[in-house]
Amino acid sequence: MTQTTSPPTASRAWLVDLLLLGALWGASFLFMRIGAAEFGALPTAAVRVGIAMLCLLPLMFLRGQWPAFKQHWKPALGIGVLNSGLPFAFFAFGLLTLNSGLAAVINATVPMFGALVAWGWFKDRPDGSRILGLVIGFAGVAMLAGRTAGFHSGADEGAARWAIAACLAACICYAFSANLTRKYLSGVPVMATAAGSQVGATLALALPAAWLWPAQMPSVKAWLALVAVGTACTGLAYVLFFRLIERAGPARALTVTFLVPVFALFYGAVFLGERITQWMLVCALVIVCGVALSTGLVKLGRRRVAAG
């Protein structure tokens, strides 16, 4: 009797997307910190999604996915606000106070919030191991908030707590949007979903960004940073992200947040001279352990009592 198995390259193709996506999104914290310092939070997010939209819309038409977008434009635009517009603005605000590596460590809580959303929405009740993971993950975030390691010099405790709260709000947005994508956009072509989401985010942020546009024209360095984050870290990255959801499911797609802090800490240390403290690494380890348990990637074994 012959047994057929899927080719290893096909079954694991999503791992390449996962690694590349982690590298791109890790760099996004570096570029957003540079841009937000001169543009401000909302204009940074608006320019980012606007550039991504301009990159993705022509590709959507060239690939003949306009009819798919027309059919699903409402959920695509709405999810774009939740998956791009709001979280990008929240993280840009947080990066005015936090170092890029610390913001990326907080970003690692996304799968943990995703587990909570799945619990409350899809009635995916977690077992004891996953509940313990949620407790551990939130404890790690509280540990981060309790010290000023990873904050900009001169940042006071009040500003730091608001910055951490903004980053956590972004993580909650990501968790909801991944599950909404699973429910309303499953099977929709990747380019239609990616481009549509950036259109929705751009429309939502355009007027607030225009109102808060900086009085002084930002430098060429800041513009280049936002061009990079808009094209590579958003346009290309969201094609990979939605393709990853299709290939591997939302739970596996959200595990990219394990990789993002690794790349972000490296980029921040090399290009911005950010200091990586032992406390940040300890908190990151606690958060990652919590996320691994809360998403079911790691399960605590049960002891078996041998019958005597």
Side-chain angles (χ1 to χ4, degrees):
M1 181 178 178
T2 58
Q3 182 178 0
T4 58
T5 57
S6 59
T9 53
S11 60
R12 298 190 180 185
W14 63 271
L15 290 173
V16 178
D17 287 349
L18 187 74
L19 184 62
L20 181 56
L21 186 59
L24 289 172
W25 274 348
S28 70
F29 292 92
L30 165 74
F31 294 131
M32 286 186 72
R33 182 183 165 186
I34 295 172
E38 297 188 36
F39 278 89
L42 274 172
T44 294
V47 172
R48 177 178 179 178
V49 296
I51 291 174
M53 178 188 69
L54 293 176
C55 293
L56 292 174
L57 277 179
L59 294 176
M60 181 182 70
F61 282 104
L62 287 174
R63 294 192 180 184
Q65 295 183 11
W66 169 250
F69 171 69
K70 282 178 64 178
Q71 185 178 355
H72 301 279
W73 68 272
K74 288 183 180 179
L77 296 185
I79 289 172
V81 177
L82 202 58
N83 197 58
S84 298
L86 288 176
F88 291 171
F90 284 139
F91 269 121
F93 174 79
L95 286 165
L96 295 173
T97 304
L98 307 180
N99 287 344
S100 59
L102 179 58
V105 168
I106 297 173
N107 186 66
T109 62
V110 170
M112 188 172 64
F113 285 111
L116 280 175
V117 172
W119 183 5
W121 190 358
F122 294 104
K123 308 303 179 185
D124 182 12
R125 180 178 173 80
D127 55 21
S129 179
R130 296 177 71 181
I131 291 175
L132 177 62
L134 292 171
V135 174
I136 292 173
F138 284 117
V141 174
M143 290 164 62
L144 271 177
R147 292 197 182 184
T148 58
F151 302 154
H152 296 183
S153 58
D156 59 65
E157 291 186 5
R161 289 194 176 95
W162 277 112
I164 290 175
C167 292
L168 289 174
C171 295
I172 295 171
C173 289
Y174 285 141
F176 273 101
S177 64
N179 283 282
L180 284 167
T181 300
R182 170 188 170 188
K183 183 172 182 179
Y184 294 108
L185 294 176
S186 181
V188 179
V190 170
M191 195 60 66
T193 305
S197 68
Q198 300 312 299
V199 171
T202 301
L203 293 174
L205 294 179
L207 287 178
W211 180 264
L212 297 173
W213 194 261
Q216 183 177 355
M217 179 61 67
S219 66
V220 174
K221 178 183 177 181
W223 275 105
L224 289 176
L226 293 193
V227 169
V229 79
T231 54
C233 304
T234 310
L236 174 59
Y238 271 100
V239 173
L240 292 173
F241 179 64
F242 288 117
R243 188 168 71 181
L244 195 58
I245 291 178
E246 283 294 314
R247 287 182 172 182
R252 280 179 171 174
L254 289 177
T255 59
V256 70
T257 52
F258 287 127
L259 299 175
V260 171
V262 177
F263 286 104
L265 286 168
F266 172 77
Y267 296 144
V270 172
F271 298 107
L272 296 178
E274 295 179 351
R275 191 166 63 95
I276 303 174
T277 66
Q278 290 183 348
W279 183 251
M280 287 173 62
L281 294 177
V282 168
C283 294
L285 180 61
V286 172
I287 290 172
V288 167
C289 288
V291 171
L293 286 169
S294 65
T295 55
L297 292 176
V298 175
K299 292 182 179 293
L300 297 178
R302 295 180 178 178
R303 288 186 178 181
R304 293 182 177 179
V305 181

